[in-house]
Amino acid sequence: GLYVPLFGGFCMVTLAAYANSSWTPEFLRRVHGLTPGETGLTLGLLTLIFGTTGVLAGGRLADWLAQRGRADAPVVAAMVGVALAWLPGVLAPLAPSREGAIAALAVREFFAVFPFPLAAAAIQMVTPNQLRGQTTAVYFFSINIVGLGLGPTVTALLSDHVFTGEEGIRFSLATVTGAAAPLALLLLALARGPYRRAASESAA
């Protein structure tokens, strides 16, 4: 099947994204002593600069792959973003210095946003017109249940029961990011073959 691994991969991407967006401010406060104002300014600038350019870069990469005949261009471009965000996503909470953490967060932000616009494009490209509304609704329902429901919750549970203490949040974030990324890559890799076939049928 196409949609189970495709949706599952993007669910794992969203899980890591919600975990980080929910707990990175608290991580910066607990571990590096940033005030709420400093945290908001830092994360706002990272999103504005690296998030915006990352979205554009992910789209350009997908277009470049499509121009070279890759029927699975959106999926491959999303996988590139997940893979390149993986290491900085793990290192950011483990960095010993504030500057190192923020630098790793900047790199993670740039690549981690690749999948989000590409997911919507990928689904629309291979779904018949009469099913696009329902399929898109199921997709957004899935990523919100898994991402918003589990991402912040799993991180909190790890902090409460495994990595306890004031700085335990750093290890919780590293664990969730480190585990979600390979699962996302595996599921998206499984979706590539069915996606190529569906894309070929849509183009026929």
Side-chain angles (χ1 to χ4, degrees):
L2 167 61
Y3 292 109
V4 170
L6 188 67
F7 286 11
F10 288 125
C11 280
M12 290 298 102
V13 170
T14 310
L15 185 150
Y18 275 124
N20 279 279
S21 64
S22 298
W23 287 102
T24 295
E26 186 64 13
F27 151 71
L28 291 174
R29 183 193 72 79
R30 292 185 192 181
V31 178
H32 296 295
L34 270 69
T35 66
E38 291 171 335
T39 299
L41 179 61
T42 299
L43 296 180
L45 287 173
L46 291 181
T47 301
L48 179 65
I49 298 169
F50 296 98
T52 301
T53 54
V55 166
L56 296 174
R60 290 295 296 272
L61 176 60
D63 289 343
W64 183 82
L65 291 169
Q67 289 166 5
R68 279 150 186 79
R70 297 297 299 263
D72 55 356
V75 179
V76 173
M79 292 177 67
V80 170
V82 174
L84 294 178
W86 186 3
L87 184 59
V90 173
L91 293 179
L94 301 180
S97 68
R98 176 188 301 189
E99 294 76 16
I102 292 173
L105 285 172
V107 177
R108 183 194 69 81
E109 180 68 21
F110 179 82
F111 291 111
V113 297
F114 275 30
F116 292 100
L118 295 173
I123 293 166
Q124 297 299 315
M125 289 169 62
V126 295
T127 303
N129 289 338
Q130 64 271 25
L131 296 176
R132 284 179 180 170
Q134 289 179 314
T135 304
T136 303
V138 171
Y139 166 72
F140 280 109
F141 176 79
S142 301
I143 64 170
N144 279 288
I145 287 292
V146 175
L148 186 57
L150 293 181
T153 303
V154 170
T155 308
L157 289 173
L158 286 173
S159 296
D160 286 343
H161 301 290
V162 180
F163 305 112
T164 56
E166 186 72 5
E167 293 196 5
I169 186 63
R170 69 194 312 174
F171 303 109
S172 301
L173 279 172
T175 299
V176 171
T177 301
L183 285 173
L185 288 171
L186 174 61
L187 289 164
L188 292 175
L190 292 173
R192 284 180 60 195
Y195 189 90
R196 284 194 297 268
R197 290 191 292 273
S200 298
E201 291 171 2
S202 296

